[in-house]
Amino acid sequence: MTFTLSPFYHKLLTGTLVALLSSMMVLTFISKDAQAQGFGKPPGSTKSGGVRGECFAADRERPLMALVDSSEPVLTTQTHPTFLFYLPYSSQTQEGQNDGVTTAEFELLDEQENSVLKHQKIVVFLPENPGFVKLALPPTETELEPDKEYFWIFRIICDTNDNTANPSVSGWIKRVSVGSRESLWLDRLDQLIQSPTSRLEQWRQLLVEVDPELQNLAQTPIVELEPEASGTRIQEDNGCYYNQLPTRTYGAQ
């Protein structure tokens, strides 16, 4: 038996097929466009949120903060950039007992989630009092490659057995060529922290850009974080000592 479509149904079927093909082309274009814009990359978090069982914070009014601008990624011309944080934690409690926070760790990963540090993490000792701290990527580490994005994480170790108790901040960084006309936040920051008291108003304005409440701490000393004796620590095999990274999906490379 042979079926013959009427002119009306023939036009209807043709129109439906054309519409379906057009929709598929549009969806493919949107998907590629979204990937090109980096959709699916893990967002950074410049302020730590509440975590279960969070450890003692000497400054209860302010969270752990990374001093970066709102751009993603943050740009720099430095091969081994310096990061700055506001640390509300203390190695001593209000009662003067030595049971406060003593260490933090820093991670740096490429877009394939591979660590670019020699020993996966850099572990540093924290100061006795809350305030601004800086962490420079050691010159012994591999330098950042130009025009390549990296994901950094700074994590406070409050509980070595409970990862949910470890607050952290994170974000993206990208090295650009010298002479770039783009906003080089980390370069600007590095220049100011060399002598913040001599450029007090500029330093204060930068703090306002991060968080207006920080301007009141403009004259607070900046402490350079000291690494452990070895400078690094390899991740424990049981995966419990450190806060594990969440599963992340990246856009097309």
Side-chain angles (χ1 to χ4, degrees):
M1 181 181 294
T2 303
F3 293 93
T4 303
L5 292 175
S6 66
F8 172 76
Y9 285 108
H10 185 274
K11 290 183 179 180
L12 180 61
L13 180 59
T14 302
T16 302
L17 290 173
V18 171
L20 287 173
L21 289 173
S22 299
S23 299
M24 291 175 64
M25 293 176 64
V26 170
L27 288 173
T28 301
F29 174 79
I30 292 175
S31 177
K32 290 183 178 179
D33 184 59
Q35 290 179 345
Q37 294 181 46
F39 289 14
K41 291 168 61 175
S45 177
T46 58
K47 294 183 181 180
S48 64
V51 292
R52 184 169 63 85
E54 187 169 354
C55 53
F56 171 78
D59 184 354
R60 298 178 183 275
E61 297 182 0
R62 302 177 183 87
L64 170 67
M65 281 185 272
L67 271 65
V68 294
D69 64 358
S70 58
S71 62
E72 281 279 33
V74 174
L75 304 178
T76 182
T77 61
Q78 303 171 57
T79 58
H80 297 81
T82 296
F83 298 84
L84 198 71
F85 307 96
Y86 178 74
L87 183 72
Y89 303 101
S90 170
S91 61
Q92 302 210 12
T93 64
Q94 289 179 328
E95 293 76 22
Q97 302 297 319
N98 293 319
D99 56 358
V101 186
T102 59
T103 58
E105 61 186 22
F106 179 83
E107 294 185 70
L108 189 65
L109 302 99
D110 61 22
E111 291 181 287
Q112 286 72 45
E113 301 187 58
N114 299 315
S115 175
V116 297
L117 300 176
K118 292 182 178 179
H119 297 282
Q120 298 184 14
K121 304 170 189 287
I122 296 175
V123 179
V124 294
F125 291 114
L126 300 183
E128 292 185 357
N129 301 308
F132 296 115
V133 296
K134 67 176 180 178
L135 173 61
L137 188 64
T140 53
E141 296 290 349
T142 303
E143 64 181 39
L144 301 188
E145 295 183 25
D147 300 316
K148 184 175 180 180
E149 295 187 21
Y150 299 86
F151 192 71
W152 59 265
I153 304 169
F154 181 69
R155 182 182 299 110
I156 306 299
I157 304 302
C158 297
D159 190 329
T160 59
N161 298 311
D162 183 1
N163 294 327
T164 63
N166 295 329
S168 65
V169 286
S170 60
W172 289 89
I173 183 173
K174 179 181 179 182
R175 179 186 165 198
V176 295
S177 59
V178 177
S180 173
R181 296 183 180 181
E182 299 179 272
S183 177
L184 303 176
W185 173 268
L186 287 186
D187 289 32
R188 176 187 170 198
L189 178 66
D190 187 59
Q191 292 176 358
L192 286 177
I193 62 177
Q194 299 301 323
S195 182
T197 54
S198 64
R199 303 178 182 179
L200 188 57
E201 288 308 312
Q202 291 176 279
W203 173 235
R204 193 188 306 275
Q205 181 56 45
L206 182 141
L207 293 177
V208 170
E209 293 179 36
V210 176
D211 189 316
E213 293 185 3
L214 290 180
Q215 63 178 313
N216 299 325
L217 304 174
Q219 298 189 57
T220 302
I222 300 173
V223 178
E224 184 167 2
L225 296 178
E226 296 292 337
E228 288 189 330
S230 62
T232 56
R233 183 186 300 169
I234 298 176
Q235 183 168 335
E236 296 291 332
D237 292 336
N238 59 18
C240 294
Y241 189 87
Y242 292 108
N243 204 8
Q244 300 298 301
L245 295 178
T247 301
R248 300 192 294 272
T249 302
Y250 295 87
Q253 304 300 319

